[in-house]
Amino acid sequence: MKKKIAGLLALLFAMAAALTGCSKGTIDSAAEAMNVDGVSVPLGELNFYLRYQQVQMQRFYGSLFGEDFMNQDLMGLGVPYGETVRDSAIETMEEFYIVEAHAEELGISLSDEEKAAAAESAKAFLAANDQKTLSAMSADEPTVTHVLELMALQSKARADRAATIDREVDPEEAAQKRISYVMSSKSEIDEEGNETELTEVELAEKMVQMTEILADAKESGDLSAAAAARDLTASTLTYGKNDSALDEPVRKAADALSEGELSDVIEAEDGYYIVYMESTYDEEATQQEVEIILSERETEAYNAWYDSLKEAAEITTNDKLIGTLSFERNFMPPSEEEASEEEPSVEEELSEE
């Protein structure tokens, strides 16, 4: 367990030390940010968890949207992205505290060894970062230790609920077919993103083009090459019983094919298609679908337990105080070498137990 909790902070170690930006004053870490069923959630814990999320997002989004991406309206919601992240952090901290309050009902807890490992990891984190970084994150030993414990406990709760699901999956529900297809759109999009419907004459030309591709593919047995010869690209996908990735006319035509067969030219709402059935049973994709189905069941089992607890909980938030958690500080992403050496998260490693 020692390695498991320490692994949680691997990314944080790499990024927190590169904290940039000036401070506009320190926060009152002991102040009550939220109250969950009579239990006070310190602002420092919320701030630490929020910064943990921020540094991870900096790695993924910083290079795309710039260092100040947290203050941009990336989602088109009319609010800075940082506020969306902060709202999510609030919900997660609420969840942590509700899980902590009801963990005994599931018969789960952290062992003395696990608690000691959390404390040791917290000390290591504090030793690895300078005071400016630690102050910006509200990172002291009790705060980091407790947040680590909360995360590990929530992972245990998920694992406990996951163990209750039915792991039998209907083969028909999971079965996946693999096709390749060529599509020619009924519209055009210009450089500014404006979409224009094609004229009847242009649509007729598209139909002629697709008919020629089909004839060449039947002769050569290579749909991809036939499409490329006319500046179109063949794509491959897998689909199953409950998949909505294909338009109904395309799906119906695909389902009628045996392995190695080509469809006729199919007219759908958005364009013309030609489908080639590569496999009527893709074993690898089917196994992946089984894992997706089981994962969804696990999530549903956990949510069914947690949602009922949250609905009954009394939760208050100090919105004015929480609003002081701003995003003027930036975190630099780790190097590619550091990123490749990251350890699994607590969630991943606990699931292996």
Side-chain angles (χ1 to χ4, degrees):
M1 183 66 184
K2 182 183 297 185
K3 180 181 178 183
K4 294 171 182 177
I5 291 182
L8 174 66
L9 288 174
L11 177 60
L12 206 56
F13 282 148
M15 302 177 77
L19 178 71
T20 62
C22 60
S23 171
K24 294 184 179 180
T26 58
I27 68 170
D28 183 359
S29 295
E32 182 175 280
M34 298 176 282
N35 190 288
V36 181
D37 278 336
V39 180
S40 180
V41 180
L43 184 64
E45 288 190 5
L46 173 61
N47 185 48
F48 176 73
Y49 183 75
L50 175 62
R51 302 314 168 188
Y52 170 71
Q53 296 298 316
Q54 182 181 350
V55 295
Q56 294 189 78
M57 291 178 179
Q58 180 68 41
R59 174 190 169 199
F60 293 111
Y61 299 140
S63 61
L64 296 175
F65 303 108
E67 291 185 1
D68 195 41
F69 74 95
M70 295 291 272
N71 291 306
Q72 300 175 31
D73 181 14
L74 298 184
M75 310 298 291
L77 301 175
V79 296
Y81 184 60
E83 292 187 18
T84 303
V85 176
R86 189 172 61 203
D87 289 344
S88 177
I90 291 170
E91 292 181 359
T92 301
M93 290 302 296
E94 292 172 353
E95 180 178 353
F96 285 164
Y97 270 77
I98 290 173
V99 169
E100 184 181 46
H102 295 274
E104 288 187 4
E105 298 169 12
L106 298 180
I108 63 172
S109 62
L110 298 182
S111 67
D112 290 341
E113 181 183 2
E114 290 167 343
K115 290 179 180 179
E120 184 177 327
S121 291
K123 290 177 182 177
F125 173 72
L126 297 175
N129 291 282
D130 60 29
Q131 191 55 48
K132 178 182 176 182
T133 297
L134 298 176
S135 177
M137 303 184 75
S138 302
D140 55 32
E141 187 173 341
T143 296
V144 179
T145 300
H146 190 225
V147 172
L148 280 174
E149 290 176 348
L150 290 171
M151 297 178 82
L153 194 59
Q154 189 245 17
S155 294
K156 281 196 167 187
R158 282 187 173 275
D160 179 88
R161 294 297 85 196
T164 67
I165 68 167
D166 178 7
R167 306 198 74 83
E168 290 294 325
V169 177
D170 181 355
E172 185 178 343
E173 180 184 5
Q176 299 286 298
K177 297 180 179 182
R178 185 177 70 252
I179 62 171
S180 55
Y181 69 93
V182 176
M183 183 266 200
S184 185
S185 178
K186 290 183 177 181
S187 63
E188 291 182 347
I189 300 177
D190 62 26
E191 295 179 355
E192 297 179 354
N194 299 313
E195 186 174 8
T196 303
E197 297 295 326
L198 299 182
T199 65
E200 290 297 324
V201 173
E202 290 170 325
L203 290 176
E205 292 174 351
K206 290 271 188 178
M207 187 64 177
V208 170
Q209 179 191 47
M210 293 294 280
T211 302
E212 292 173 347
I213 292 173
L214 178 60
D216 286 354
K218 286 182 176 180
E219 182 177 347
S220 67
D222 191 337
L223 178 61
S224 180
R230 289 167 177 79
D231 299 322
L232 290 177
T233 302
S235 301
T236 301
L237 65 77
T238 57
Y239 74 97
K241 178 180 179 181
N242 299 319
D243 203 317
S244 58
L246 297 174
D247 287 347
E248 186 58 30
V250 181
R251 182 191 184 94
K252 184 176 180 180
D255 283 342
L257 297 174
S258 298
E259 196 164 304
E261 286 187 338
L262 279 162
S263 72
D264 293 329
V265 178
I266 309 157
E267 182 174 1
E269 184 175 349
D270 60 343
Y272 301 102
Y273 290 79
I274 300 171
V275 174
Y276 174 73
M277 180 58 68
E278 294 188 12
S279 173
T280 55
Y281 182 80
D282 187 296
E283 185 172 354
E284 182 179 352
T286 298
Q287 183 55 43
Q288 290 175 351
E289 183 65 16
V290 168
E291 293 171 2
I292 290 171
I293 291 171
L294 293 177
S295 178
E296 289 174 347
R297 290 180 187 177
E298 291 172 356
T299 298
E300 289 170 0
Y302 173 80
N303 287 345
W305 172 76
Y306 170 71
D307 289 347
S308 64
L309 296 175
K310 182 175 181 179
E311 185 177 350
E314 292 187 11
I315 302 173
T316 60
T317 58
N318 189 331
D319 295 336
K320 183 176 181 180
L321 187 62
I322 292 173
T324 64
L325 302 181
S326 60
F327 298 92
E328 75 271 13
R329 299 180 178 91
N330 299 316
F331 294 82
M332 302 302 292
S335 65
E336 292 184 4
E337 181 179 352
E338 289 172 325
S340 66
E341 294 176 353
E342 289 171 22
E343 299 183 48
S345 68
V346 168
E347 290 82 356
E348 293 170 333
E349 295 194 340
L350 280 176
S351 66
E352 296 174 0
E353 289 192 330

